[in-house]
Amino acid sequence: MAQHDPAPRDLAPHELRIVVAVEHARSFSGAAREFGLTQSAVSHSVRGTERKLGAVLFERGRRGAVPTPAGERATAHARRVLRLLETLAAETRAAAGAGDTAAGSADAVTGPLRIAAFRSAALHLLPPTLADLRARHPGIEPEVRVVRELGRGTAGEVADGRADIGIATVGTTSPVPAGLVGGVLVEEPYSFVHPAGHPAPRTLPLVDWAENCTSYTRDWWAEQDWIPRATTRTEDDGAVLAMVSAGHAMAIMPALSLTGAPPTVTVVDLGPGRPTRSVGYVTTPEQAGSLAVRALIRALRARRAQG
């Protein structure tokens, strides 16, 4: 029986890889160098992909190859498809080596697990979790990138195919973005933080950082007449804690950011009406079923259960 030829608009993996490379390099020549091809070969491949998709993916000009909105969407899908092909190969090999047993397959999975996390989660939540993960699944190789939880944040990295799973602020005021799946891992309270031994800490200026709070927390702040407007802003929570520790300011900070706080600061519970921040995970529907992502989620939940 003759084999059925693929439809004319089907894209081959190498075409997807070239699109991703052009978007990353922002040039056809940069992508050509990555693959050892000529620039004309890369240009020809991209034109063929554009014909198949019926859309222009890159604007060519003095600035190089700048992705159009269609190109940005296509590149995100391309990354996710290519990652799924890698997952297919890894899990198929694992299943074959483990005799198709569900328990053995996860243990036999090898290769990278790409994780995007905001700073305090990368510093304090992930290290013990990844130690647990490696002990149970030594073939999994976690790759952690710290991403500022601003704009699209870690969820954007997942949606764009740059990460398999993101540690993100999620919950009722920060819902999981459309097209992704996720869940809450921990609800962390905010506390009042000030220099240890200061006689009147509420008279100090407030220091803050951009990714600190959700809109819900900001609303709570606005209702507290004792909290002044922030007069100092820093790049991240580590700098906030350093300024408080040095006696220069007070702050309102979530629990993860206060992990391992030095004895030079005092942490005060804000009481039953205190705001909280929901920290959880987000992933794509296709990666949610992958063995490596499921293993990390189990490790995160187990670590949460241990307190």
Side-chain angles (χ1 to χ4, degrees):
M1 182 176 179
Q3 290 187 338
H4 177 68
D5 291 332
R9 294 186 181 275
D10 284 353
L11 293 173
H14 74 271
E15 293 176 295
L16 301 181
R17 292 188 181 96
I18 287 175
V19 167
V20 170
V22 171
E23 189 273 344
H24 177 73
R26 287 298 199 269
S27 75
F28 291 91
S29 58
R33 285 192 296 271
E34 179 177 339
F35 291 107
L37 300 171
T38 64
Q39 181 174 335
S40 60
V42 169
S43 181
H44 177 76
S45 177
V46 171
R47 285 197 302 271
T49 300
E50 290 175 328
R51 283 195 299 271
K52 291 179 181 181
L53 294 177
V56 174
L57 303 183
F58 299 98
E59 295 288 349
R60 288 82 159 167
R62 293 180 179 178
R63 294 184 297 161
V66 179
T68 64
E72 291 177 349
R73 181 62 62 88
T75 304
H77 282 298
R79 288 195 194 95
R80 288 167 61 169
V81 169
L82 291 170
R83 182 58 177 152
L84 193 56
L85 290 175
E86 293 173 356
T87 302
L88 180 155
E91 295 196 1
T92 301
R93 288 192 297 267
D100 292 326
T101 60
S105 296
D107 293 340
V109 170
T110 61
L113 172 61
R114 305 172 307 160
I115 306 165
F118 58 90
R119 181 184 178 278
S120 57
L123 286 177
H124 306 303
L125 178 63
L126 281 179
T129 301
L130 295 182
D132 296 341
L133 181 71
R134 288 193 186 97
R136 186 169 179 81
H137 308 288
I140 296 177
E141 303 165 4
E143 298 176 354
V144 180
R145 278 200 317 120
V146 177
V147 177
R148 298 196 74 191
E149 193 68 332
L150 295 172
R152 298 173 70 230
T154 58
E157 296 297 296
V158 173
D160 291 347
R162 294 186 177 92
D164 304 319
I165 185 170
I167 308 302
T169 51
V170 297
T172 54
T173 58
S174 301
V176 175
L180 301 180
V181 296
V184 174
L185 295 166
V186 61
E187 197 79 23
E188 54 170 350
Y190 279 83
S191 297
F192 173 45
V193 191
H194 63 79
H198 196 284
R202 293 192 180 192
T203 64
L204 289 168
L206 178 72
V207 61
D208 197 9
W209 76 104
E211 58 185 328
N212 185 12
C213 301
T214 63
S215 58
Y216 153 69
T217 308
R218 294 294 182 194
D219 290 342
W220 180 88
W221 279 31
E223 296 171 357
Q224 314 303 310
D225 56 11
W226 63 274
I227 302 179
R229 182 177 62 85
T231 56
T232 303
R233 292 189 180 275
T234 67
E235 184 69 17
D236 57 46
D237 53 348
V240 170
L241 200 56
M243 292 192 68
V244 174
S245 178
H248 299 310
M250 67 171 180
I252 309 294
M253 303 183 73
L256 267 179
S257 297
L258 295 170
T259 303
T264 48
V265 305
T266 296
V267 178
V268 181
D269 192 314
L270 287 169
R274 65 192 178 190
T276 60
R277 180 173 71 170
S278 301
V279 177
Y281 69 91
V282 293
T283 186
T284 61
E286 62 267 22
Q287 286 295 334
S290 70
L291 296 174
V293 167
R294 286 165 54 197
L296 177 60
I297 293 171
R298 284 195 299 270
L300 286 164
R301 286 175 172 163
R303 178 59 55 174
R304 177 197 62 182
Q306 295 173 16

